[in-house]
Amino acid sequence: MAVTNADIAAIFNKVADLLEIKGENPFKVRAYRNAARTVENIGKSLAQLVEEGYDLTKLPGVGHDISEYIKEIVTTGRLKKLEELEKEIPSHLVEMLSIEGLGPKRIKVLYENLHIESLEDLRKAAESGEIEKLPGFGPKLIEKILKGIKLAKKEGKRFKWAVAEYYANELVKYIKSIKGVINIEVAGSFRRKKETVGDLDILVTAKDWEEVSDHFIKFDGIKEVISKGPTRSTVILKSDIQVDLRSVAKESYGSALHYFTGSKAHNIAIRSIAVKKGLKINEYGVFKGAERIAGLTEEEVYKTVGLPYIEPELRENRGEIEAAYENRLPKLIRLEDIRGDLHVHTKYTDGKHTIAQMAKAAKDLGYEYIAITDHSKHLTVANGLDEKRLRVQMEEIDRLNEELDGITVLKGIEVDILEDGTLDLPDSVLKELDIVVAAVHFKFKLSSEKQTARILKAMDNPYVDIVAHPTGRLIGEREAYEVDMQKLLESAKERGCVMELNGQPERLDLNDVYSKMAKEMGVKLAITTDAHNTFSLNYMRYGINQARRGWLEAADVINTLPLKEMKKALKR
DNA sequence: GCCGTTTTCGGCCCGACTGTTTTCAGTCG
């Protein structure tokens, strides 16, 4: 089994953790983390790049040493450097980094003085009072550690963006009820529309911070107040989401918003440019010596470093700064650009509403068209359609189109891709449809070679227009199946197939990295909702979020086209 | 360990908050 980019990134992150505990130069540690991030975001398979003899040092954050390490991992599946580090430092120590209040320095002290190597050792030593004898470890810290051990299992929990959105809206509404609040915005990964959100960072400017902060910590959904300071307060909600509320003066709002929106990597890159220009950027503004030269708006902040405004969704240091310099930032797609939905279900299978109801709801959204794509017969749990029932549905759609005004209903199917890559319905009926969406719904555990071959074969069928949720992942529930996305996209390009960006909040599939890769390879996408009821036609906005993170413009997405042109774009 | 429109050596973003401290280290984002 080939080494994946995720494997390589995991190795570099582990090296970084161990080096940190060892007490290595923090910039060296950062170099490994940067390399890990590059590897995760590159899209293309590093194993393949190595095979092609590509010069890896061209990748950002990858120099001579790390380039050699990547080659070593790809060819041997291991990294000697990591194995040596693990001999030196027990690798279980890394687990302790997840405990609030314990960082590399304290872990090192605990290991060297008390030989604490695991969470269990840590708990025993904390309870027996041994830790308290160490300098710098007072009673409050020990209490925090004990609490942290219990929480360690839940550690790293992230929330789907749509879930975070609910709490964000509630909190903003609650905080806004204070009259003195001037500006309020949820920043952080939420504002960058990341598919999952770890915590909510809310920024406010207000006449009286004390009043806002006192009000904030009385919010009904709060489980615990972590800290409350003169500019920042942190709480944990009952739903375990951490919320940071931060206040700045009005004139610093732009620089603070930039700072708290991140990403960290983007901010570091921007600040580094500022340093080279003799400027200092912090959340209070842009400074030339002691003089504040900008900070009211984000635009101002970017201007001081010679850049145009960069949309939050792009701020991941994945090339947006270079693109901004060269004036080739994408004009990101917006919800208003969408003219129709190409993947929805009805009562015929596992949907909740009729074709007419779905069509009306789509029209109310201002759409020109909606494609009915119910499941095919293999998906028995969803009451999938056989040819006979599909033909009944097709007739109903024909009748409906005669009655309807202002919206066109397209005849379609979400046809199952069987294990051997053939389709669940015969060509004789597929060819009569306006649109065929093909999808994998079972046998997720095939090898990458088999899964890739399976989908490639389905794409060979000339009636397949769109490959739905191409990696099959469900955020937080199911990993993507193994598949060679590079090959899928190459063949989509060759055959004129469209790839789906499914807007279901737990799918968002293709993800941002693959969406960007598809765009760069010239593959068109369809952003769909996979709606099973009229309400979830609104999931389009989640799809748009992900699309924007993937640098997509309206021209990259076929359902921004008017009906006639969209149908032409589907032809292959 | 990476990087270069001042540099191939000497930098590497910046501040808030906590806890344990008499002035600051560690952690966090």
Side-chain angles (χ1 to χ4, degrees):
Chain A
M1 147 84 218
V3 175
T4 67
N5 290 9
D7 298 332
I8 299 170
I11 289 177
F12 287 154
N13 276 324
K14 185 107 190 253
V15 169
D17 284 344
L18 290 171
L19 288 177
E20 204 168 20
I21 292 170
K22 200 179 153 193
E24 262 284 4
N25 175 355
F27 298 105
K28 188 190 273 194
V29 174
R30 186 200 286 171
Y32 279 96
R33 295 207 198 283
N34 284 343
R37 225 177 38 80
T38 293
V39 166
E40 277 168 349
N41 289 334
I42 194 72
K44 291 180 186 155
S45 152
L46 278 168
Q48 194 170 336
L49 288 177
V50 168
E51 201 179 317
E52 291 166 3
Y54 179 83
D55 178 8
L56 298 172
T57 63
K58 283 186 184 158
L59 302 174
V62 177
H64 173 268
D65 289 17
I66 288 186
S67 149
E68 290 302 313
Y69 292 150
I70 292 174
K71 287 182 204 159
E72 183 188 338
I73 298 167
V74 166
T75 48
T76 69
R78 303 158 44 193
L79 182 65
K80 270 214 188 87
K81 185 182 172 74
L82 175 60
E83 289 170 9
E84 279 160 19
L85 273 171
E86 283 176 332
K87 271 183 219 154
E88 227 177 310
I89 305 156
S91 62
H92 280 305
L93 290 182
V94 171
E95 291 170 14
M96 284 193 250
L97 283 171
S98 67
I99 290 175
E100 180 97 22
L102 278 191
K105 301 277 168 58
R106 285 176 182 149
I107 289 174
K108 194 177 181 201
V109 169
L110 290 169
Y111 173 57
E112 286 178 348
N113 291 280
L114 300 174
H115 308 292
I116 290 172
E117 291 187 21
S118 67
L119 292 180
E120 186 53 23
D121 293 348
L122 181 67
R123 190 184 56 80
K124 281 184 192 153
E127 284 172 351
S128 71
E130 263 189 287
I131 294 180
E132 214 166 336
K133 294 173 195 154
L134 294 174
F137 287 82
K140 285 206 172 163
L141 184 56
I142 290 176
E143 195 186 323
K144 200 170 176 181
I145 290 172
L146 280 169
K147 211 155 88 185
I149 294 170
K150 282 185 197 147
L151 289 171
K153 285 179 200 120
K154 279 195 251 174
E155 173 269 328
K157 182 155 190 220
R158 296 183 65 86
F159 298 83
K160 290 189 275 274
W161 191 89
V163 175
E165 183 190 32
Y166 168 77
Y167 292 102
N169 289 343
E170 290 292 305
L171 278 159
V172 167
K173 202 166 70 185
Y174 175 78
I175 295 165
K176 258 189 178 167
S177 67
I178 294 276
K179 282 203 179 68
V181 171
I182 301 162
N183 293 305
I184 179 163
E185 177 115 27
V186 184
S189 53
F190 180 79
R191 183 162 178 247
R192 303 201 309 279
K193 310 295 197 310
K194 207 167 162 183
E195 61 191 32
T196 60
V197 173
D199 56 18
L200 293 173
D201 297 299
I202 307 179
L203 181 67
V204 295
T205 59
K207 287 207 180 79
D208 181 356
W209 159 250
E210 279 292 320
E211 187 192 8
V212 175
S213 178
D214 289 345
H215 178 66
F216 171 58
I217 63 166
K218 284 185 211 135
F219 180 67
D220 192 34
I222 287 176
K223 181 159 85 180
E224 190 185 352
V225 177
I226 300 289
S227 67
K228 187 170 181 294
T231 70
R232 192 178 84 192
S233 295
T234 299
V235 304
I236 306 272
L237 300 183
K238 287 171 187 160
S239 50
D240 284 328
I241 299 185
Q242 179 172 320
V243 185
D244 291 336
L245 184 69
R246 178 67 196 261
S247 152
V248 291
K250 214 165 59 180
E251 61 271 22
S252 296
Y253 189 66
S255 44
L257 187 57
H258 180 257
Y259 171 65
F260 287 108
T261 297
S263 67
K264 190 172 173 172
H266 175 89
N267 284 355
I268 288 175
I270 293 291
R271 288 177 180 203
S272 299
I273 298 170
V275 168
K276 286 186 191 117
K277 290 179 182 286
L279 304 172
K280 186 178 79 169
I281 299 182
N282 59 27
E283 54 263 60
Y284 301 113
V286 182
F287 296 86
K288 192 172 205 166
E291 187 199 355
R292 218 176 70 102
I293 60 167
L296 184 64
T297 66
E298 288 189 312
E299 283 83 354
E300 268 185 19
V301 174
Y302 281 111
K303 205 172 162 201
T304 60
V305 290
L307 294 177
Y309 177 76
I310 299 175
E311 300 274 8
E313 293 91 332
L314 299 177
R315 301 182 196 169
E316 298 289 344
N317 201 17
R318 290 179 190 163
E320 73 279 9
I321 293 170
E322 294 78 359
Y325 262 125
E326 294 159 15
N327 222 355
R328 52 176 178 81
L329 282 171
K331 188 172 183 298
L332 296 180
I333 187 169
R334 300 159 309 157
L335 186 57
E336 308 89 88
D337 294 324
I338 296 294
R339 292 180 193 250
D341 204 328
L342 297 177
H343 182 171
V344 311
H345 297 270
T346 71
K347 277 177 108 157
Y348 272 82
T349 59
D350 56 350
K352 292 280 175 291
H353 292 113
T354 63
I355 302 172
Q357 286 170 320
M358 294 302 279
K360 179 178 182 305
K363 188 182 166 186
D364 290 345
L365 289 172
Y367 290 166
E368 292 175 26
Y369 47 87
I370 180 169
I372 304 300
T373 57
D374 269 311
H375 291 289
S376 64
K377 64 181 190 290
H378 183 275
L379 212 58
T380 48
V381 287
N383 190 24
L385 303 176
D386 57 15
E387 185 170 349
K388 199 172 151 200
R389 288 177 60 223
L390 177 56
R391 286 188 186 280
V392 171
Q393 184 183 62
M394 289 160 72
E395 282 167 24
E396 183 181 338
I397 292 174
D398 280 338
R399 281 197 305 277
L400 203 56
N401 273 327
E402 282 172 25
E403 297 163 18
L404 286 171
D405 202 19
I407 183 128
T408 302
V409 182
L410 299 173
K411 288 173 275 188
I413 189 83
E414 179 182 9
V415 66
D416 253 62
I417 300 175
L418 304 178
E419 187 178 354
D420 63 359
T422 58
L423 301 178
D424 191 25
L425 288 170
D427 287 358
S428 55
V429 65
L430 296 182
K431 75 176 179 195
E432 290 177 38
L433 295 166
D434 297 308
I435 184 165
V436 174
V437 177
V440 166
H441 285 122
F442 67 105
K443 285 276 179 186
F444 296 112
K445 299 279 183 200
L446 295 182
S447 69
S448 175
E449 289 73 19
K450 282 187 179 160
Q451 197 71 275
T452 306
R454 175 190 189 183
I455 300 172
L456 287 178
K457 179 158 182 210
M459 289 164 83
D460 280 338
N461 184 309
Y463 302 113
V464 169
D465 298 302
I466 297 177
V467 178
H469 40 74
T471 76
R473 62 97 175 253
L474 296 175
I475 296 170
E477 291 169 46
R478 185 173 75 207
E479 290 290 314
Y481 43 71
E482 287 176 21
V483 72
D484 186 336
M485 187 55 66
Q486 178 110 12
K487 280 203 184 125
L488 292 192
L489 293 176
E490 276 165 10
S491 101
K493 173 70 183 162
E494 274 168 30
R495 293 160 171 80
C497 267
V498 172
M499 298 303 256
E500 183 181 66
L501 198 176
N502 187 300
Q504 293 275 323
E506 67 278 6
R507 286 196 185 272
L508 299 175
D509 179 11
L510 296 176
N511 68 12
D512 49 359
V513 172
Y514 286 146
S515 295
K516 184 165 185 247
M517 189 172 157
K519 175 200 171 98
E520 283 165 1
M521 291 171 68
V523 175
K524 298 291 179 210
L525 289 98
I527 306 175
T528 71
T529 65
D530 201 348
H532 285 66
N533 54 58
T534 54
F535 170 79
S536 36
L537 287 170
N538 289 306
Y539 289 172
M540 190 61 78
R541 70 180 192 284
Y542 303 134
I544 293 284
N545 285 348
Q546 187 80 312
R548 289 169 64 88
R549 288 183 56 81
W551 294 50
L552 298 190
E553 303 180 270
D556 301 312
V557 176
I558 63 162
N559 50 321
T560 62
L561 294 169
L563 178 61
K564 225 168 129 187
E565 286 152 54
M566 191 279 293
K567 280 176 106 169
K568 219 182 332 180
L570 279 183
K571 281 238 167 61
R572 40 182 287 194

